[in-house]
């Protein structure tokens, strides 16, 4: 995945090609069979820094300049041809091989990948609770190339600026360059450690948290260029480095601990290999890495990285599987190597060695290729709304689309196309998810949005996480045309609770702060009713956490009534895609009730003697006695893996109203008496 340096090295090191091969094979093997992140990408980053930043540093020491344009043109010639070729193939095949339910995120990611911004697209999705569970796209792996291009652009421009300063001062060039590289590396590493503890999903894709891996390679190449280790020490160091690299994915949970302290494991392993494998001593790690088979894989490692992931994703989509079999994985790996060879020989090599037209022609060609892919995605995207509009329910249609009423015996007159359809399902959700009324990860700001009712009318405060927010369409419809106002105060993955409030590790502090402010706000506004959830899955088992009860008790002391609704089932697979691929009646798209819900609502015992808590159990409208289906009354129940579609929520209104009516009447009676 690393690119040739801007100028030739004094001598070719075949062990580096072998190191690339090990990194690429680790990435592919772990993706295909193990389903984990291997740390191989981190090795690529160190090797890239070793070759490219080392080359840039030597340019400054010799001339005080960095040929930024030449460097950029070489980067484009090396990266763009194979990358954009594979991306174009994926873009052409995706509409035919990927279920339409997944088109929207795939289009976004192809667009971002063409612009080398895929890491930021994934970072944004990582903090968007509704996007985090999306099935991986066939171009998700392009995040690493995006980070590499952004990092190389930073180092080239920063070193060019440093060279400009050095030419006008008497500073020692070598010391200045080493100081700069060390400062960037240490600052980036410190940032990565801190941010990994605060928000690891975002930090994993953050370029600023990855600069240190490239800088580490540059320091080894430039700062330790003349270091010669004793033969025995070099022999042991080479094997130790290789062992660290290979063992990383097995020993560490890379996807949750990187790019913080844990990332030192593979990166220092790569540094040891680069430092210690300069000889071809018998039985050494360098001799192994320089062997012809690994050299061959290393020569094709970039294209191998590009091809293995879309082939895996397309295969899993075609056979509707989660993991490939051993034999299928071998075929995917073999086909990836074959396509890598062809792409390197026929696409990458001709452009890499071509110099006709100079840098301008190179940049123009790269921009044209990017523009063509972007234009294709735009055309694909513009065709979506027309098709998606026909997959939405414009109005309530209880006869043809009874939805929840089907559980009460009101079956539809005929079996009609499921609504919302696969293109519209993702967007069939409560409005707060799209109008900045649902607080995101991080921070403690309480965001309140009011819907309907009269300015001085009674208030229903909808509070909690996204599983509270998805009840908004039902509440809005229920109170439509009445003086009652629905005020939504919700936050991603943050339950209304006095303790253990966050559903995500590392998020507890922000969630606890938000809950404290929320409780103060509820006491200030004194709503007529607080609507929230009463249960949640705890280690896969439905439960009512003690923190829920403590929060209800705090409202009881403030004389504020609570309507606590039993949480809706978590299907944990993309329901719209499953229905599209397998059909509404497929057992694949159903879950046994006993696996989703306890025989009795656990909130009944947990609430105890709290008179202000009114428990609502609408689980009979999500599961029958044995099964939790994906569709009811021609309406898709879920818009993703566990959130309820707005269309289905609106069909629950008669049953929700029946359970809320006594609470509403009590409030209205008290209001009249006062």
């Amino acid at each position: 995945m690393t690119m040739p340096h801007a100028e030739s090295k004094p001598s070719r090191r075949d062990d580096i090609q072998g190191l690339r091969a090990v990194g690429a094979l680790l990435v592919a093997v772990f993706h295909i069979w193990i389903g984990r992140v291997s740390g191989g990408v981190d090795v690529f980053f160190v090797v890239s820094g070793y070759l490219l930043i080392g080359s840039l540093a030597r340019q400054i020491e010799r001339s005080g300049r960095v040929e930024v344009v030449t460097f950029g043109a070489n980067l484009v010639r090396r990266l763009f041809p194979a990358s954009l070729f594979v991306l174009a193939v994926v873009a052409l095949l995706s509409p035919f091989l990927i279920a339409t339910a997944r088109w929207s995120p795939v289009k976004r990611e192809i667009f971002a990948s063409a612009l080398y911004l895929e890491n930021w697209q994934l970072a944004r999705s990582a903090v968007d609770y509704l996007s985090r569970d999306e099935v991986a796209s066939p171009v998700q792996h392009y995040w690493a190339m995006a980070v590499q291009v952004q990092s190389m652009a930073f180092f080239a421009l920063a070193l060019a600026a440093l060279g400009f300063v050095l030419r006008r001062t008497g500073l020692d060039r070598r010391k200045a360059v080493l100081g700069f590289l060390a400062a960037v590396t240490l600052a980036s590493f410190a940032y990565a450690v801190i941010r990994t503890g605060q928000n690891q999903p975002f930090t994993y894709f953050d370029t600023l948290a990855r600069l240190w891996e490239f800088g580490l390679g540059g320091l080894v190449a430039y700062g330790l260029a003349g270091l010669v280790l004793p033969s025995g020490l070099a022999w042991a160091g080479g094997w130790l480095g290789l062992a660290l690299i290979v063992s990383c994915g097995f020993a560490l949970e890379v996807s949750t601990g990187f790019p913080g302290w844990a990332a030192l494991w593979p990166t220092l392993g790569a540094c040891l290999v680069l430092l210690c494998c300069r000889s071809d001593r018998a039985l050494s790690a360098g001799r192994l890495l320089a062997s012809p088979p690994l050299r061959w894989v290393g020569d094709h490692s970039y294209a191998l990285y590009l091809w293995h992931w879309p082939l895996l994703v397309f295969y899993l989509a075609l056979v509707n599987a989660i993991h490939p079999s051993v034999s299928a994985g071998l075929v995917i790996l073999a086909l990836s190597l074959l396509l890598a060879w062809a792409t390197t020989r026929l696409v990458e090599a001709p452009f890499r060695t071509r110099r006709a037209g100079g840098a301008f022609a190179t940049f123009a060609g790269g921009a044209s290729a990017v523009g063509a892919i972007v234009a294709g995605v735009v055309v694909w995207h513009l065709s979506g709304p027309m098709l998606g509009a026909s997959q939405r329910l414009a109005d309530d249609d209880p006869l043809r689309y009874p939805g929840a009423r089907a559980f009460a015996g009101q079956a539809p007159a005929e079996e009609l196309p499921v609504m919302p359809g696969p293109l519209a399902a993702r967007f069939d959700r409560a409005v707060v998810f799209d109008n900045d009324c649902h607080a995101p990860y991080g921070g403690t700001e309480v965001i309140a949005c009011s819907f309907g009712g009269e300015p001085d009318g009674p208030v229903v405060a909808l509070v909690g996480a996204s599983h509270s927010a998805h009840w908004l369409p039902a509440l809005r419809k229920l109170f439509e045309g009445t003086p009652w106002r629905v005020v939504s105060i919700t936050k991603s993955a943050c339950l209304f609770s006095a303790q253990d409030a966050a559903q995500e590790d590392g998020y507890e502090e922000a969630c606890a702060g938000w809950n404290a402010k929320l409780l103060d706000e509820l006491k200030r506004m004194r709503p007529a009713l607080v609507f929230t959830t009463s249960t949640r899955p705890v280690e896969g088992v439905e439960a009512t956490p003690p923190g829920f009860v403590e929060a209800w008790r705090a409202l009881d002391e403030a004389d504020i009534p609570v309507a606590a609704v039993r949480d809706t089932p978590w299907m944990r697979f993309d329901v719209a895609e499953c229905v599209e691929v397998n059909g509404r009646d497929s057992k694949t798209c159903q879950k046994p009730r006993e696996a989703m819900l306890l025989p009795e609502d656990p909130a009944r015992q947990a609430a105890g003697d709290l008179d202000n808590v009114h428990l609502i159990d609408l689980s009979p409208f999500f599961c029958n006695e044995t099964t939790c289906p994906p569709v009811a009354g021609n309406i898709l129940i879920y818009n993703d893996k566990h959130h309820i579609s707005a269309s289905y929520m609106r069909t629950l209104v008669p049953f929700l109203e029946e359970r809320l009516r006594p609470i509403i009447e009590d409030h209205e009676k008290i209001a009249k008496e006062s």
Side-chain angles (χ1 to χ4, degrees):
M1 202 181 92
T2 52
M3 296 80 68
H5 40 83
E7 61 179 9
S8 61
K9 294 278 289 174
S11 62
R12 174 183 171 88
R13 286 187 55 184
D14 290 332
D15 60 288
I16 291 181
Q17 290 301 90
L19 183 58
R20 285 171 166 165
V22 170
L25 290 173
L26 281 173
V27 170
V29 167
F30 271 71
H31 280 165
I32 293 171
W33 285 294
I34 303 177
R36 295 179 60 177
V37 180
S38 66
V41 167
D42 302 87
V43 174
F44 281 135
F45 289 167
V46 172
V47 175
S48 181
Y50 180 87
L51 296 173
L52 294 169
I53 297 175
S55 172
L56 292 172
R58 287 188 293 273
Q59 285 185 38
I60 288 186
E61 185 175 358
R62 285 196 308 270
S63 65
R65 300 177 184 275
V66 169
E67 299 296 336
V68 175
V69 174
T70 301
F71 177 82
N74 288 341
L75 203 65
V76 169
R77 277 191 288 266
R78 172 62 176 93
L79 267 186
F80 278 40
S83 174
L84 296 180
F85 173 73
V86 174
L87 193 62
V89 172
V90 171
L92 289 171
L93 294 178
S94 289
F96 304 100
L97 300 179
I98 296 294
T100 55
R102 293 168 57 189
W103 281 7
S104 182
V106 169
K107 286 184 290 186
R108 289 196 303 268
E109 293 194 27
I110 292 175
F111 186 90
S113 296
L115 299 175
Y116 286 89
L117 297 173
E118 171 68 349
N119 62 315
W120 297 113
Q121 172 62 38
L122 293 179
R124 188 191 70 82
S125 297
V127 297
D128 181 351
Y129 188 67
L130 296 180
S131 296
R132 295 184 71 180
D133 289 335
E134 287 179 348
V135 179
S137 81
V139 296
Q140 183 169 298
H141 62 317
Y142 271 68
W143 76 269
M145 277 88 76
V147 167
Q148 184 164 307
V149 168
Q150 294 162 25
S151 297
M152 288 303 102
F154 165 79
F155 278 108
L157 293 172
L159 286 170
L162 177 63
F164 178 82
V165 173
L166 292 176
R167 292 196 306 273
R168 284 156 177 77
T169 64
L171 294 175
D172 184 284
R173 291 178 181 177
R174 181 172 177 79
K175 290 181 180 179
V177 171
L178 284 174
F180 167 78
L181 292 179
V184 171
T185 301
L186 289 173
S188 172
F189 180 68
Y191 172 81
V193 170
I194 294 170
R195 290 293 293 156
T196 297
Q198 295 173 339
N199 188 349
Q200 190 276 335
F202 182 95
T203 309
Y204 190 85
F205 302 108
D206 187 345
T207 302
L208 295 177
R210 295 285 184 169
L211 290 174
W212 71 271
E213 297 180 290
F214 297 93
L216 199 60
L219 284 170
V220 171
Y222 187 62
L224 303 177
L227 180 65
V228 179
L229 297 173
S231 178
L233 184 61
W235 184 90
W239 281 114
L240 175 61
L242 189 57
L244 288 173
I245 292 168
V246 174
S247 64
C248 176
F250 297 101
L252 303 177
E253 183 51 68
V254 177
S255 61
T256 58
F258 280 44
W261 287 104
L264 288 172
W265 187 299
T267 54
L268 291 182
C271 290
L272 281 173
V273 170
L274 292 169
L275 278 173
C276 299
C277 292
R278 291 170 177 167
S279 69
D280 60 352
R281 177 179 172 179
L283 301 179
S284 68
R287 176 70 69 87
L288 173 64
L289 292 173
S291 62
L294 284 180
R295 286 208 319 269
W296 186 90
V297 175
D299 290 340
H300 303 86
S301 59
Y302 178 45
L304 171 61
Y305 180 86
L306 292 172
W307 277 115
H308 85 281
W309 183 253
L311 289 178
L312 174 63
V313 171
F314 285 152
Y315 169 79
L316 295 178
L318 284 172
V319 301
N320 192 30
I322 299 176
H323 303 291
S325 64
V326 174
S327 57
L330 288 172
V331 172
I332 291 170
L333 184 57
L335 185 56
S336 299
L337 287 167
L338 177 61
L339 289 172
W341 169 80
T343 302
T344 302
R345 181 185 179 95
L346 302 176
V347 178
E348 179 185 320
F351 282 94
R352 187 175 66 231
T353 57
R354 184 181 180 187
R355 294 292 185 269
F360 176 79
T362 298
F363 289 128
S368 299
V370 169
I373 294 175
V374 168
V377 174
V378 169
V379 171
W380 182 15
H381 176 71
L382 292 177
S383 66
M386 294 183 289
L387 182 58
S390 65
Q391 297 183 0
R392 297 185 180 93
L393 272 179
D395 300 299
D396 190 22
D397 189 350
L399 294 180
R400 300 195 310 156
Y401 287 91
R405 302 176 185 91
F407 282 105
Q410 185 182 330
E414 58 180 318
E415 186 175 285
L416 296 169
V418 174
M419 295 289 185
L423 272 179
R426 289 282 189 282
F427 309 100
D428 194 59
R429 59 191 187 183
V431 67
V432 292
F433 294 124
D434 300 308
N435 67 355
D436 297 326
C437 285
H438 182 68
Y441 279 94
T444 61
E445 181 185 5
V446 172
I447 302 173
C449 290
S450 181
F451 300 91
E454 297 176 358
D456 297 326
V459 170
V460 177
L462 175 63
V463 302
S466 59
H467 272 234
S468 291
H470 68 196
W471 284 94
L472 180 62
L475 291 173
R476 289 184 67 184
K477 186 172 178 62
L478 192 160
F479 291 106
E480 190 176 32
T482 75
W484 288 69
R485 284 190 298 129
V486 179
V487 177
S488 176
I489 314 175
T490 56
K491 180 178 177 65
S492 286
C494 189
L495 302 147
F496 179 51
S497 173
Q499 64 183 30
D500 299 326
Q503 299 180 56
E504 305 291 335
D505 292 338
Y507 183 44
E508 293 85 352
E509 184 176 347
C511 188
W514 179 83
N515 262 301
K517 290 184 178 181
L518 170 61
L519 194 56
D520 290 340
E521 176 64 16
L522 291 174
K523 291 178 180 179
R524 184 198 65 78
M525 68 188 299
R526 301 198 60 78
L529 180 66
V530 168
F531 190 98
T532 189
T533 53
S534 66
T535 62
R536 63 155 297 187
V538 178
E539 296 182 354
V541 179
E542 186 185 26
T544 299
F548 283 24
V549 181
E550 289 185 33
W552 302 342
R553 195 177 301 280
L555 293 180
D556 184 37
E557 294 171 357
D559 197 26
I560 298 174
V562 176
V565 64
R566 190 176 188 179
D567 198 9
T568 51
W570 292 53
M571 299 296 269
R572 302 191 185 280
F573 58 83
D574 192 304
V575 178
E577 180 179 353
C578 188
V579 170
E580 179 187 359
V581 173
N582 300 288
R584 69 177 80 192
D585 298 321
S586 170
K587 292 184 179 180
T588 303
C589 304
Q590 303 173 0
K591 282 285 188 75
R593 179 189 173 96
E594 64 182 13
M596 311 289 282
L597 301 167
L598 294 175
E600 298 293 333
D601 183 354
R604 297 199 176 280
Q605 181 177 357
D609 59 351
L610 287 175
D611 295 330
N612 71 317
V613 178
H614 307 270
L615 298 176
I616 299 173
D617 183 0
L618 290 174
S619 62
F621 300 97
F622 294 94
C623 305
N624 56 36
E625 294 181 355
T626 60
T627 306
C628 300
V631 175
N634 290 330
I635 296 182
L636 187 70
I637 298 177
Y638 302 86
N639 62 29
D640 56 15
K641 294 184 178 182
H642 52 87
H643 294 97
I644 309 303
S645 70
S647 295
Y648 190 78
M649 271 295 180
R650 286 189 285 269
T651 68
L652 284 164
V653 167
F655 313 106
L656 180 60
E657 182 178 19
E658 179 182 345
R659 288 152 177 80
L660 286 179
R661 179 53 54 190
I663 309 172
I664 297 170
E665 290 177 349
D666 283 348
H667 171 81
E668 292 175 344
K669 180 180 178 181
I670 293 171
K672 287 181 180 179
E673 291 176 353
S674 62

